[in-house]
Amino acid sequence: HSPDERELRGTTLALSREKLEEAKHLIRKFHRQFVRLVASDQGDAVYQLQLSLYPVVLPTEDENENH
């Protein structure tokens, strides 16, 4: 497929545990809004939307004990 038919974004970042639930809430909110936007469209192609938020590096045992 041509680049004009795709939209790719990726970000690696540090995220505090305090912000994790808020970040997940924003992802769910965006997903609901996106689905509502395109749900009524008959469409002429099939696309896959993938949203992921997961730890790349987990805290060590010592860091876990401090929280």
Side-chain angles (χ1 to χ4, degrees):
H1 299 286
S2 76
D4 292 341
E5 297 180 76
R6 299 178 285 212
E7 185 64 36
L8 303 172
R9 298 279 176 230
T11 303
T12 303
L13 47 86
L15 177 65
S16 68
R17 294 169 197 209
E18 292 79 25
K19 297 277 183 161
L20 180 58
E21 285 306 313
E22 184 178 359
K24 290 165 51 177
H25 172 76
L26 288 172
I27 290 170
R28 290 188 294 266
K29 181 178 178 181
F30 168 75
H31 185 261
R32 284 191 306 271
Q33 290 174 338
F34 184 89
V35 169
R36 274 197 299 265
L37 174 71
V38 300
S40 62
D41 188 6
Q42 291 295 318
D44 55 7
V46 177
Y47 288 83
Q48 169 69 39
L49 173 67
Q50 181 68 43
L51 301 170
S52 301
L53 178 66
Y54 54 89
V56 177
V57 177
L58 295 174
T60 65
E61 287 299 317
D62 292 338
E63 289 171 330
N64 279 330
E65 292 173 3
N66 293 329
H67 293 282

